[in-house]
Amino acid sequence: MSHPAAPSRHKFRQQQEPKDMVRILWLVGAYFLITSALMWAAPLSWYRLTPGVAAMGPFNLHFIRDIVLIFAVSGLAVLHGCRTGQRAVLLVGLAWPALHALFHILLWIERGVPLDTIALVNLAGLQLPVWTSLAIASSIEPKESHP
């Protein structure tokens, strides 16, 4: 008696990862890149218009550009992970944003856990995209490595 062929790894991955979930990862990767491009192109505007940033200290172009480059690399890694389906690449791309989000949670606690514009922007612009993406990426079946 013959046994039906086992589904390929790719088909299994498609069954496990609804397209809507992967679309969220694509959107977050693009969001990181768009954010980095806007910060690079208009750093002073970003500094002045993003709630809470100016409260952290004086405008520092070098520091902002460092953050831009980190977000750009993160965005590229997330997009590459989406394209290749490699969970490890997705997780590497989300590592810095997740650590950055944790740092923002600590800052929020230090501020006394206020429910203000800064907290809302942090929640919508950083916490939700990062933690949702990390949950999705963590649920992706790892690809087998080939020597």
Side-chain angles (χ1 to χ4, degrees):
M1 175 176 209
S2 67
H3 297 285
S8 74
R9 190 102 167 131
H10 184 67
K11 285 184 182 176
F12 176 73
R13 287 175 38 74
Q14 284 180 339
Q15 292 168 356
Q16 296 297 90
E17 302 155 27
K19 289 182 180 181
D20 289 342
M21 294 294 130
V22 176
R23 282 188 192 116
I24 291 171
L25 294 173
W26 280 102
L27 288 172
V28 169
Y31 170 66
F32 290 164
L33 283 178
I34 291 166
T35 299
S36 64
L38 291 172
M39 288 173 69
W40 185 274
L44 189 56
S45 294
W46 173 83
Y47 173 83
R48 288 179 177 160
L49 296 175
T50 304
V53 172
M56 296 280 86
F59 177 80
N60 183 329
L61 182 60
H62 181 106
F63 180 74
I64 292 171
R65 294 268 163 92
D66 284 344
I67 301 303
V68 165
L69 296 172
I70 296 168
F71 262 119
V73 169
S74 293
L76 290 170
V78 170
L79 293 176
H80 182 69
C82 288
R83 190 178 63 76
T84 63
Q86 294 177 314
R87 180 174 78 171
V89 174
L90 288 166
L91 294 175
V92 166
L94 292 167
W96 182 82
L99 292 171
H100 185 67
L102 281 174
F103 176 63
H104 276 246
I105 290 171
L106 291 175
L107 291 173
W108 181 59
I109 291 168
E110 287 177 6
R111 290 190 323 112
V113 193
L115 300 176
D116 57 6
T117 303
I118 296 169
L120 179 62
V121 169
N122 180 52
L123 179 66
L126 182 62
Q127 303 298 332
L128 289 176
V130 168
W131 300 119
T132 301
S133 297
L134 198 56
I136 294 167
S138 297
S139 72
I140 291 174
E141 184 72 22
K143 278 192 164 187
E144 292 179 19
S145 60
H146 299 284

